[in-house]
Amino acid sequence: MRGSLIILAFFILGLLGGWFHLLPAAAGDSDVSYVTLCALIFCVGMSIGSDSEVLSTLRHTRLCLLLLPLCTLGGTLAGCLAVSLFLPDMRLTDCFAIGSGFGYYSLSSIFITQYRGAALGTVALLANIVRELLTLLCSPLLARWFGPLAPISVGGATSMDTTLPIITRYSGKDLATLSVFHGFIMDFSVPFLVTFFCGI
C-alpha cells in the first residue's frame, strides 16, 4: 500500500512539474521513457531468473490452477467490453489496451503514451494503479466473497510482487507460488497485448 501511494505521489509531482514547467523538456522525451522501460523489464527478468524455487514448486501445482492467467485475461477483456458500452467516445481497442496493462501501470502507460498519446497514457496509468490499490485494499473481501483465487486474478501482473504479501495473507501461503506464476504470465503478456490493441 505504501509503495503504491509513493508512486502515485511521484505521478502527481510529475504532473505539477510539467504543468508549471519545473522540469527540463528532455525529462518527458520518449527516448528517456524507452530507456527507463528497458531498465524495468531487465529488473523483472532479474527477479524471476534469480528465484530458483518457482519452477520446482509449480510442478506440484494442479494443472487446472495454471489456467488462472487465461481466466484473468478473459475476465479483464470482458470487463473492458462492458465499460466501453458506457464510453461511446472511446474506441473498444483503446479500452482493451488499457485493461491489458493488468495493473502494470509503468509499462502499459509508456506503451500507450507512445502509440495513442499522453492523454490515454495517463488514463492507463490511473486505471492500472487503481487495479493494484483495489487488490491491496479489498483482498479480504475478495477472498471471502469469491474464493482464494479472486485476489490473485484481480492483482493481475502485480500478484508476483507488490500485492503478493496481501494475497498470501488472505488467500493462503499454499497459493503463493501460483500467485507468482500468475503474475509472471500476466507481466509477460502486457507488452504484446498492449501493443497489439494499440496497433489495431
Side-chain angles (χ1 to χ4, degrees):
M1 177 67 173
R2 181 184 175 190
S4 298
L5 292 176
I6 290 172
I7 290 170
L8 184 60
F10 272 99
F11 172 69
I12 293 171
L13 286 174
L15 285 177
L16 294 174
W19 182 267
F20 294 108
H21 305 288
L22 301 175
L23 302 172
D29 188 26
S30 60
D31 290 337
V32 174
S33 299
Y34 180 74
V35 171
T36 306
L37 170 63
C38 290
L40 284 171
I41 293 174
F42 176 78
C43 291
V44 169
M46 285 287 291
S47 66
I48 294 168
S50 63
D51 193 346
S52 58
E53 296 182 5
V54 173
L55 291 178
S56 61
T57 311
L58 281 175
R59 293 188 189 124
H60 303 292
T61 304
R62 286 181 299 173
L63 183 61
C64 61
L65 292 179
L66 299 181
L67 298 176
L68 183 61
L70 289 178
C71 296
T72 299
L73 171 63
T76 299
L77 294 183
C80 292
L81 177 61
V83 168
S84 71
L85 299 177
F86 299 96
L87 301 172
D89 295 333
M90 184 175 287
R91 296 172 51 183
L92 177 60
T93 52
D94 288 343
C95 291
F96 283 158
I98 292 170
S100 295
F102 301 115
Y104 198 167
Y105 42 80
S106 54
L107 185 65
S108 60
S109 60
I110 290 173
F111 276 126
I112 292 174
T113 297
Q114 290 178 344
Y115 277 87
R116 295 286 189 217
L120 199 65
T122 302
V123 172
L125 177 68
L126 294 174
N128 285 288
I129 285 177
V130 167
R131 181 170 187 157
E132 180 178 345
L133 289 174
L134 282 174
T135 307
L136 292 169
L137 297 174
C138 300
S139 281
L141 297 176
L142 291 169
R144 184 186 307 165
W145 293 343
F146 304 106
L149 297 179
I152 300 175
S153 186
V154 173
T158 69
S159 67
M160 66 179 287
D161 43 54
T162 55
T163 61
L164 182 59
I166 197 79
I167 288 171
T168 303
R169 180 175 179 183
Y170 292 103
S171 295
K173 293 182 180 179
D174 54 321
L175 292 178
T177 303
L178 175 63
S179 184
V180 171
F181 168 77
H182 173 270
F184 169 71
I185 297 298
M186 304 317 298
D187 206 340
F188 185 75
S189 69
V190 168
F192 299 102
L193 290 173
V194 170
T195 54
F196 171 74
F197 287 122
C198 284
I200 296 177

